[in-house]
Amino acid sequence: MILPIYIYGQPVLRKVAEDVELNKEVLEPLIADMYATLEVSEGVGLAAPQIGKAIRVVVVDLSMLAEDLPEYKDFRHAYINGHIVEASEETETMSEGCLSLPGISEEVTRPKRVRIQYYDEQLQPRDEWVDGFLARVLQHEHDHLEGHVFTDRISPFRRSMIKSKLTAFLKGKARCHYKVKTVKS
Ligand code: NI
């Protein structure tokens, strides 16, 4: 099932998401819906708060990047109850966008590598250091679980440049090709 994506201004995007019970019967259909929603919206990552649920479930699909980054061939993973527990001091600046803030992209500086603890789709515990584009995506999604969006991390000057776009979201306006839920819908 394709779910609407919650847009900036929706209170759920500001909540700290909670760990979920490791119940395959509940998680399997939820994760399937999240993959389907991510696919039609052509994103690389989706966190459960973006579909209105303040729980720690994230899906990542980097398979479309495989042409340039072959290490991500068929890369499609779910991260359940994920927590970033360590980060490198070395940082990197990259352009980011977000399905909950359509039409905005800004440079964000983040640690280059992070250590994440989570449960995979088979509900097995994992503890991994990740780097590269995956580290970037997981940090962006982890922010969603902590009630943050990427524009919280840009300079006041850059934020002033996108203020009218943020205000438009708060008025219920969002222009994109996928189904959304704004504060007004
Ligand atoms: Ni996002």
Side-chain angles (χ1 to χ4, degrees):
M1 190 173 46
I2 311 292
L3 307 165
I5 294 192
Y6 284 52
I7 296 295
Y8 181 89
Q10 279 279 0
V12 68
L13 295 174
R14 291 305 187 184
K15 284 190 184 154
V16 177
E18 296 193 359
D19 283 339
V20 287
E21 198 187 321
L22 297 173
N23 179 339
K24 227 175 192 176
E25 276 160 40
V26 176
L27 289 170
E28 241 169 36
L30 171 72
I31 288 168
D33 286 350
M34 287 177 71
Y35 278 135
T37 302
L38 183 60
E39 197 175 332
V40 295
S41 53
E42 298 174 321
V44 289
L46 183 69
Q50 295 181 277
I51 53 153
K53 292 178 189 294
I55 54 173
R56 300 186 88 88
V57 180
V58 164
V59 297
V60 173
D61 184 348
L62 303 183
S63 56
M64 75 288 279
L65 306 175
E67 211 170 289
D68 296 322
L69 303 167
E71 67 269 34
Y72 296 134
K73 188 177 182 288
D74 302 324
F75 188 102
R76 221 166 83 126
H77 286 289
Y79 298 80
I80 301 157
N81 296 349
H83 293 268
I84 289 175
V85 295
E86 247 183 290
S88 65
E89 272 177 34
E90 199 182 348
T91 60
E92 190 169 38
T93 302
M94 277 173 74
S95 178
E96 291 186 25
C98 180
L99 295 172
S100 294
L101 293 98
I104 297 180
S105 87
E106 290 289 330
E107 302 264 300
V108 183
T109 301
R110 297 184 187 271
K112 220 171 162 177
R113 290 173 297 114
V114 290
R115 180 179 164 203
I116 180 167
Q117 295 176 336
Y118 66 99
Y119 290 84
D120 65 18
E121 268 162 282
Q122 281 68 49
L123 307 184
Q124 294 306 305
R126 301 263 187 176
D127 187 338
E128 297 169 353
W129 276 96
V130 295
D131 60 11
F133 195 71
L134 176 61
R136 172 64 48 159
V137 174
L138 285 177
Q139 288 179 84
H140 176 113
E141 302 312 326
H142 190 265
D143 266 359
H144 281 300
L145 303 182
E146 298 296 322
H148 303 305
V149 293
F150 78 105
T151 50
D152 301 345
R153 298 191 178 278
I154 64 178
S155 69
F157 171 71
R158 286 306 312 169
R159 207 168 314 122
S160 73
M161 298 297 284
I162 59 163
K163 197 169 177 221
S164 63
K165 287 183 180 171
L166 296 179
T167 306
F169 293 144
L170 299 178
K171 288 180 179 158
K173 287 176 203 150
R175 232 176 280 158
C176 49
H177 68 276
Y178 44 88
K179 217 168 35 161
V180 297
K181 203 165 160 61
T182 68
V183 278
K184 298 275 169 82
S185 59

